[in-house]
Amino acid sequence: MARQLIIRLEEVKTAAEGASRWRASWLVMENGRPQGNLMRGDLSSAVPLAINSQVVALIPAENVLLLDVMLPGRNRQRILNAVPYAVEEQLIDDVDGLHFALSQQTSANHYTVAVINREKFIELQKVLDDAHLHPQVMLPDVLALKHDEQNWIVLDEGERQYVRLDQYRGFVTDRDSLLTFLNTSLNEVSQKPR
């Protein structure tokens, strides 16, 4: 779709312990170019912009774990059903409390799996539903950074450092941990960034 409404949700901790609220910003893109200014405020103000647009919700990457998995077969539904058990040993939480999303096949039988706490996912959906916005796509915000085949992209946003590694992988960290995560990532990949 040529026209997109990109909505970014950011979690803001409130004074009440454990409580949070969501801050939203949005931008209309047409053919990959911004149309107008970045807007912030009540999400209901974005509803008119969703008409005739693909709605894409960017959610905090801290809430999403991106894992590589190899799963044989061609039946996407069977593969999706197998995902929780294929990655279970890499997870701390019980798979019953998690939501899984599967990328397109990246190479022979290889996929990227996005894993998020089911309650957090429902909370994010509720924020959007309450505003009468229904995204066709939900992505970790780090995957909104430009993808470059030969390089990794790093965005310094003050407290948060975003790193886009490849088409389906990236991470967010704090400034003090950035070099550690970059070095670990460099040791894990076969094709080093230029």
Side-chain angles (χ1 to χ4, degrees), residues 119-136:
E119 289 179 12
K120 182 63 74 176
F121 185 68
I122 291 169
E123 180 183 349
L124 288 159
Q125 283 185 312
K126 183 173 177 7
V127 168
L128 293 161
D129 286 345
D130 288 351
H132 303 288
L133 290 163
H134 309 287
Q136 288 84 18

Side-chain angles (χ1 to χ4, degrees), residues 6-10 23-27 38-41 43:
I6 311 292
I7 300 168
R8 183 176 181 203
L9 296 174
E10 297 176 84
R23 178 174 46 211
S25 55
W26 59 91
L27 179 66
L38 179 70
M39 305 294 293
R40 289 189 173 93
L43 260 179

Side-chain angles (χ1 to χ4, degrees), residues 87-88 90-98 100 115-117:
V87 298
E88 186 173 21
Q90 299 177 61
L91 304 171
I92 295 172
D93 297 326
D94 186 340
V95 295
D96 293 332
L98 301 172
F100 299 86
V115 184
I116 185 171
N117 175 285

Side-chain angles (χ1 to χ4, degrees), residues 10-34:
E10 297 176 84
E11 192 168 13
V12 179
K13 298 293 181 187
T14 60
E17 188 173 320
S20 63
R21 65 178 184 83
W22 294 93
R23 178 174 46 211
S25 55
W26 59 91
L27 179 66
V28 173
M29 301 284 287
E30 195 148 343
N31 298 318
R33 297 197 169 158

Side-chain angles (χ1 to χ4, degrees), residues 3-169:
R3 181 180 162 97
Q4 295 179 308
L5 172 61
I6 311 292
I7 300 168
R8 183 176 181 203
L9 296 174
E10 297 176 84
E11 192 168 13
V12 179
K13 298 293 181 187
T14 60
E17 188 173 320
S20 63
R21 65 178 184 83
W22 294 93
R23 178 174 46 211
S25 55
W26 59 91
L27 179 66
V28 173
M29 301 284 287
E30 195 148 343
N31 298 318
R33 297 197 169 158
Q35 303 296 304
N37 296 320
L38 179 70
M39 305 294 293
R40 289 189 173 93
D42 187 287
L43 260 179
S44 61
S45 301
V47 172
L49 301 172
I51 298 169
N52 298 321
S53 298
Q54 177 190 41
V55 179
V56 177
L58 303 177
I59 61 176
E62 296 92 353
N63 295 316
V64 182
L65 178 62
L66 298 171
L67 299 171
D68 291 322
V69 65
M70 185 172 166
L71 293 166
R74 293 190 177 158
N75 184 311
R76 186 161 176 89
Q77 188 57 49
R78 284 188 182 163
I79 291 170
L80 191 54
N81 290 340
V83 163
Y85 309 102
V87 298
E88 186 173 21
E89 291 183 9
Q90 299 177 61
L91 304 171
I92 295 172
D93 297 326
D94 186 340
V95 295
D96 293 332
L98 301 172
H99 176 78
F100 299 86
L102 188 65
S103 73
Q104 297 297 319
Q105 192 171 5
T106 58
S107 62
N109 299 328
H110 283 87
Y111 300 86
T112 298
V113 177
V115 184
I116 185 171
N117 175 285
R118 188 179 309 278
E119 289 179 12
K120 182 63 74 176
F121 185 68
I122 291 169
E123 180 183 349
L124 288 159
Q125 283 185 312
K126 183 173 177 7
V127 168
L128 293 161
D129 286 345
D130 288 351
H132 303 288
L133 290 163
H134 309 287
Q136 288 84 18
V137 178
M138 290 180 84
L139 293 172
D141 52 11
V142 70
L143 295 184
L145 294 179
K146 182 179 177 177
H147 167 58
D148 184 319
E149 291 285 335
Q150 297 178 357
N151 298 298
W152 291 355
I153 306 297
V154 180
L155 172 66
D156 179 352
E157 196 180 61
E159 292 179 20
R160 300 169 85 204
Q161 311 296 302
Y162 296 85
V163 181
R164 176 85 184 254
L165 302 174
D166 60 31
Q167 185 174 4
Y168 294 111
R169 292 186 320 124

